[in-house]
Amino acid sequence: MSSQWWVRCGAAMVLAVSCTVGTARADENTHVYGAEDPVVLWLNKVGPYHNPQETYTYYSLPFCVPAGGFHTKRKYAGIGEILEGNELVQSAMAMHFGIDVPKTLLCSQTLSEKDAETFKYAISQHYWYQLFLDDLPIWGMVGQIVGTEEELRELEKDTKHEHKVMDSYIYTSKAFSIGYNGNQIIEVNLTAEEPRDVEPGAHLEFSYSVTWVPVDKPFSDRFNRYLDYTFFEHQIHWFSIFNSFMMVIFLCGLVSLILMRALKADYAKYLDSDMEVDGIDRDFGDDSGWKQVHGDVFRIPSHVGLYAACFGTGMQLVALVFSVILLAIFGSLYVDSGALISASLLCYALTSAVAGYASGSLYQQYYYPAKGPHWIQCMLATAVLLPSAALAVALMLNAISLYYNTISVVPFSALVW
């Protein structure tokens, strides 16, 4: 009887596991898709190319909103994504894994005078937008400017005003080329097409198309393209970096040489083991200027608790930087959005022990062998020194972001988390 009971239990467990696996949903969380499974494209933010910190929600520009209420569906964001200023909104671009989509109309609109002026200003400031598909970032430009070389050079110098003498064109079609390997998405390329003149009364029709292309690149290497500095077309001025480095080395050597020559006689006098104690006192009395502070080296500072708290916080920041660097070297923090900030917050919490030990040991050195009278105040100051300063700066920046209605506004719940 007992053997039959165990057999039935085993069969029930196998059936439950098989049903769970069979009904497991393939989506962007698992990065595994089945044939014709829906693929969601998320809209993130827009902003000027020359100021990446100034970002707004995608629909802050007067794009037409497709029917269906997709713009009200948002993706859950972690603390790292919130602090990075990401706010993902679902797009109305329907996609299915492995299924090509011909040119499809999303929505249409007729530009009012205000909408045309807004688009012209955004295009003159080189506004770009960011999308996400299967956690892969995608970038595209809102439009383009047609002008002479002198006019474009003048535009690069003056980024505060739009140049109405130039013709502005907005891209109305997005062509996606999605590379896949097996049942996983490897890369996404976006081509902005069909520029249309931006003028009041212009009728714009926004559309998109999708093409699926098989690739041989493995899934583990799909983020390598974003690590290539040529992908972002950033030029590294190696000569300027080397020149600055050599200048710093030269200045450090020069200052060290001057100090050594100026202090050589003082070192010899202070470290002479044959000098008598009375002679030392007499020589110290003849000193002037900064040499008279030698008696203050081991004197207890007036605010030793605050001094120890600053020292402990500095040691914690050093440990924090090295911890994040090691995680970035041996991990893959660049894969998930907001992972770097989340890892930094976790490392800060873990390295708090370094701050407590460093501040406590320094504070106790001034009172050894007796016990420091205000060690509790020192401990509390170490715990709240950096968080309070960071919170004050964050509140100030958050107020500025709230005033300009940017996407960088952090909810108060995230600030006190």
Side-chain angles (χ1 to χ4, degrees):
M1 183 65 178
S2 59
S3 60
Q4 293 180 356
W5 183 83
W6 282 107
V7 171
R8 292 179 180 178
C9 290
M13 293 178 61
V14 171
L15 181 60
V17 172
S18 61
C19 292
T20 303
V21 174
T23 58
R25 183 179 178 182
D27 55 12
E28 60 185 2
N29 296 322
T30 60
H31 304 292
V32 176
Y33 298 87
E36 302 184 11
D37 277 350
V39 179
V40 181
L41 178 69
W42 299 95
L43 311 174
N44 190 17
K45 52 189 175 182
V46 296
Y49 177 80
H50 298 287
N51 186 11
Q53 304 304 322
E54 181 186 353
T55 55
Y56 307 91
T57 58
Y58 183 84
Y59 285 111
S60 62
L61 292 181
F63 290 110
C64 62
V65 180
F70 293 95
H71 64 286
T72 61
K73 301 177 181 179
R74 304 180 184 275
K75 184 179 180 181
Y76 171 78
I79 183 65
E81 292 178 299
I82 294 177
L83 294 179
E84 281 187 353
N86 294 329
E87 185 176 342
L88 302 183
V89 178
Q90 185 174 346
S91 70
M93 306 179 196
M95 302 181 185
H96 294 83
F97 188 84
I99 304 299
D100 292 344
V101 179
K103 182 180 176 181
T104 303
L105 179 64
L106 276 176
C107 59
S108 60
Q109 68 181 119
T110 300
L111 294 181
S112 63
E113 184 175 356
K114 181 179 179 181
D115 293 344
E117 291 298 325
T118 303
F119 275 127
K120 283 184 177 181
Y121 178 80
I123 295 172
S124 68
Q125 300 301 306
H126 302 282
Y127 267 50
W128 57 275
Y129 54 84
Q130 185 183 49
L131 315 175
F132 278 93
L133 188 143
D134 195 49
D135 289 340
L136 293 175
I138 311 167
W139 295 274
M141 301 300 295
V142 174
Q144 66 177 0
I145 303 173
V146 177
T148 63
E149 185 177 352
E150 291 76 10
E151 291 173 337
L152 295 177
R153 189 181 300 112
E154 181 66 22
L155 178 62
E156 293 293 335
K157 296 179 181 179
D158 184 9
T159 59
K160 295 182 179 179
H161 306 87
E162 71 168 281
H163 292 237
K164 297 183 179 180
V165 297
M166 300 183 183
D167 295 329
S168 301
Y169 294 88
I170 184 173
Y171 296 115
T172 59
S173 181
K174 297 179 177 64
F176 295 93
S177 177
I178 306 177
Y180 67 98
N181 187 354
N183 55 0
Q184 294 178 312
I185 297 176
I186 305 301
E187 60 187 21
V188 184
N189 297 311
L190 171 62
T191 303
E193 300 175 338
E194 300 183 9
R196 295 290 184 266
D197 191 15
V198 179
E199 292 294 340
H203 183 73
L204 304 180
E205 294 184 348
F206 292 91
S207 59
Y208 77 102
S209 62
V210 181
T211 304
W212 292 83
V213 181
V215 296
D216 297 329
K217 183 186 298 184
F219 179 81
S220 58
D221 297 338
R222 70 173 189 162
F223 273 93
N224 289 350
R225 63 183 304 196
Y226 301 105
L227 302 179
D228 187 4
Y229 71 92
T230 58
F231 178 81
F232 296 96
E233 299 180 357
H234 289 170
Q235 296 181 358
I236 301 178
H237 301 280
W238 293 107
F239 179 76
S240 299
I241 295 176
F242 178 77
N243 187 28
S244 302
F245 178 76
M246 294 304 298
M247 183 63 67
V248 171
I249 296 297
F250 172 75
L251 292 178
C252 290
L254 182 61
V255 172
S256 300
L257 180 61
I258 294 174
L259 289 177
M260 290 300 297
R261 296 190 61 177
L263 302 178
K264 184 177 181 181
D266 295 333
Y267 287 155
K269 180 176 62 176
Y270 295 152
L271 300 179
D272 188 2
S273 60
D274 297 333
M275 184 177 297
E276 297 180 358
V277 176
D278 295 339
I280 294 178
D281 294 336
R282 183 174 60 255
D283 290 340
F284 282 168
D286 296 336
D287 290 336
S288 61
W290 67 271
K291 298 178 183 179
Q292 293 182 346
V293 302
H294 63 270
D296 295 332
V297 174
F298 300 103
R299 185 174 300 168
I300 298 179
S302 57
H303 301 285
V304 62
L306 181 60
Y307 170 67
C310 293
F311 176 77
T313 302
M315 295 299 295
Q316 182 183 9
L317 291 178
V318 172
L320 171 64
V321 170
F322 278 101
S323 301
V324 175
I325 291 177
L326 290 178
L327 286 177
I329 292 176
F330 296 104
S332 55
L333 299 180
Y334 56 87
V335 174
D336 297 325
S337 178
L340 182 61
I341 295 182
S342 300
S344 300
L345 294 176
L346 178 61
C347 291
Y348 176 79
L350 295 178
T351 54
S352 59
V354 177
Y357 176 79
S359 63
S361 60
L362 180 64
Y363 181 79
Q364 183 61 28
Q365 286 179 6
Y366 289 101
Y367 295 98
Y368 184 80
K371 186 177 180 180
H374 304 292
W375 64 272
I376 297 180
Q377 290 86 333
C378 177
M379 178 188 66
L380 295 177
T382 305
V384 302
L385 180 62
L386 183 61
S388 59
L391 181 61
V393 174
L395 288 175
M396 181 182 64
L397 295 178
N398 210 45
I400 297 175
S401 300
L402 187 62
Y403 177 79
Y404 287 99
N405 195 26
T406 67
I407 199 175
S408 302
V409 176
V410 180
F412 181 76
S413 58
L415 288 176
V416 300
W417 179 79

